[in-house]
Amino acid sequence: MAENNRAVVKLKERFANALLDCKEYRGEVTVTVKKENILEVLKCLRDDLRYNFLTDVTAVDYLGQDPRFMVVYHLMSIPNKDRIRVKAPVTEADCSIDSATSLWNSANWLEREAYDLFGIDFKNHPNLVRILMTDDWVGHPLRKDYPLQGPDREPYKGRLS
């Protein structure tokens, strides 16, 4: 039923070449777009379809697949009481995507968190520095190839007694 969603219909009209997938599961609509078009799509959703609240920006690590990462934006239209999820695939070789801080100020800390924990570079971000881990931390802890015990630690061997 995603094809009947007002946002999906509008996005298909304006960004037919940028849309990679549209799905609905349990009443939640998810649109996957090319990362090169992410700002245009988000701007259209904000300005034309009144998705005026960016609730979250996060990422998913699909280790072993190409593209490895998926950057995920959760948007809400307060006037229409409607939500949409927008995803953009990001390869490990070019682990960057345009920053949405020019559209929503709330993207600032959310993108910093994704950068800190996944290592995804948000181009044109005003202050892309670590937000949770210390500045001298090595690696990105939510990547699936990150050591479970942390860097330079002995693997857990179970109880000693």
Side-chain angles (χ1 to χ4, degrees), residues 65-128:
Q65 296 181 23
D66 191 39
R68 178 175 175 176
F69 299 101
M70 193 71 71
V71 177
V72 185
Y73 301 84
H74 296 267
L75 305 175
M76 180 177 184
S77 171
I78 294 172
N80 296 320
K81 298 179 179 77
D82 191 20
R83 295 177 183 265
I84 192 167
R85 179 182 301 114
V86 180
K87 301 190 316 186
V90 176
T91 63
E92 188 172 13
D94 181 19
C95 198
S96 65
I97 191 167
D98 291 326
S99 173
T101 55
S102 61
L103 301 173
W104 290 282
N105 289 332
S106 62
N108 190 327
W109 283 22
L110 300 170
E111 290 177 350
R112 284 178 61 192
E113 181 181 27
Y115 163 73
D116 195 3
L117 300 177
F118 288 97
I120 296 170
D121 181 38
F122 290 88
K123 294 184 275 189
N124 299 317
H125 190 283
N127 185 26
L128 195 61

Side-chain angles (χ1 to χ4, degrees), residues 142-153:
L142 287 186
R143 285 188 173 204
K144 290 189 177 172
D145 56 0
Y146 189 80
L148 290 176
Q149 301 299 323
D152 304 323
R153 299 272 314 265

Side-chain angles (χ1 to χ4, degrees), residues 125-145:
H125 190 283
N127 185 26
L128 195 61
V129 295
R130 289 193 179 268
I131 192 168
L132 297 173
M133 310 306 289
T134 59
D135 291 336
D136 60 344
W137 193 268
V138 177
H140 306 281
L142 287 186
R143 285 188 173 204
K144 290 189 177 172
D145 56 0

Side-chain angles (χ1 to χ4, degrees), residues 4-11 48-51 77 80 82:
N4 299 331
N5 180 282
R6 67 184 181 88
V8 172
V9 170
K10 182 79 165 182
L11 292 176
D48 300 345
L49 296 166
R50 300 171 69 188
Y51 284 92
S77 171
N80 296 320
D82 191 20

